[in-house]
Amino acid sequence: MRLVLAFVAASLVLGSDLRAQAPAERATIDSFRTSLEADSNLTRVLGVLARARAAAHTAKKDAVVRTELGWALLRAGQVFQSKDTLYAAADEFYNAVTRARHWAYPWYGLGMADIALELAHARVVSSVHQPAGAAWIQTAGIAFTNALKQDPAYRPAAVALAKATLDNNFDPRSTDAVALLTPLLDTVNGEPGPFLLLGRLDRNLDSLPNALAAFDHYLARGGDAGVGMLERARTLFALDSTAVAESV
């Protein structure tokens, strides 16, 4: 775990922006990211990437511009299935982190780049933000955790952390994920997805009554009935098994 956490300490560099991220800066990045995520047109994605690179060339120290370049590289890497471009995206997000380590958005971007590298089965390349011996999914979890430390209300990072935790067969951090996801559940505007994640995390921790309650909330908010009932059945089976074991 010390190796996995090493890149967090490495981000504490001179020149980091210590101010909070302004709402206008958040809106700019969110608009840029969401428009890219919905676009699979190769020509348009390349055009966006070219413009982002040009902007970063003239504003090397601007954390918003660097974060946008990270998203452009990430989307290009996904669309063109280019591992080298995904590596570049992770490096660029870390570049933004070093310039604005108190902002949630660059940390979140770094975690998403690590997830993309994991999904692409990219070879782990050691760097200042990817310690030797750490899997992409591990450092993604650390990045999402850092995003939430900077902004506990940033729901995309909480949901991403929960998903990464469930997918992580190397070093589960379920306790951290539950603690960071739970406070946000009152702000999800009826969305069922986070409750499904919470239920699965609770079940991983053998917190079966809490898991059952989370799955009930998932179903009550219109979650997929087949998925929800299956998860309830699995949890009820685990509860029955626990009760039998305790009675022996």
Side-chain angles (χ1 to χ4, degrees), residues 42-248:
L42 305 183
T43 302
R44 283 197 299 266
V45 171
L46 278 179
V48 171
L49 177 56
R51 291 190 293 274
R53 280 177 166 153
H57 181 72
T58 59
K60 293 181 174 64
K61 296 183 179 181
D62 189 318
V64 171
V65 172
R66 308 308 309 200
T67 302
E68 288 181 344
L69 177 55
W71 284 114
L73 286 164
L74 176 56
R75 187 59 183 149
Q78 293 169 327
V79 170
F80 288 94
Q81 299 182 353
S82 168
K83 294 177 183 177
D84 286 343
T85 309
L86 295 177
Y87 287 130
D91 288 342
E92 195 55 53
F93 281 125
Y94 185 74
N95 190 339
V97 164
T98 63
R99 299 177 190 284
R101 64 183 175 87
H102 291 298
W103 293 9
Y105 281 41
W107 282 115
Y108 174 64
L110 178 58
M112 293 304 290
D114 286 346
I115 291 294
L117 286 161
E118 177 78 15
L119 293 174
H121 304 291
R123 181 173 61 89
V124 175
V125 177
S126 298
S127 67
V128 66
H129 58 82
Q130 188 67 32
W136 294 118
I137 193 74
Q138 289 178 300
T139 48
I142 298 297
F144 295 141
T145 299
N146 273 282
L148 289 166
K149 286 180 178 177
Q150 309 314 319
D151 181 0
Y154 190 44
R155 182 161 54 88
V159 172
L161 175 61
K163 290 179 178 177
T165 301
L166 289 167
D167 292 340
N168 183 3
N169 296 320
F170 304 94
D171 181 24
R173 297 173 59 81
S174 296
T175 302
D176 290 348
V178 169
L180 290 165
L181 181 61
T182 302
L184 298 178
L185 293 180
D186 290 334
T187 68
V188 298
N189 299 321
E191 297 175 34
F195 289 93
L196 180 65
L197 293 170
L198 181 64
R200 288 170 173 169
L201 289 168
D202 276 327
R203 192 171 58 210
N204 282 1
L205 291 169
D206 292 326
S207 182
L208 300 177
N210 287 339
L212 195 60
F215 294 135
D216 286 341
H217 284 302
Y218 170 77
L219 288 167
R221 284 164 174 75
D224 184 279
V227 173
M229 294 305 294
L230 177 61
E231 296 294 359
R232 285 191 90 260
R234 288 173 173 168
T235 306
L236 288 169
F237 179 80
L239 278 166
D240 289 342
S241 297
T242 300
V244 169
E246 289 176 349
S247 67
V248 174

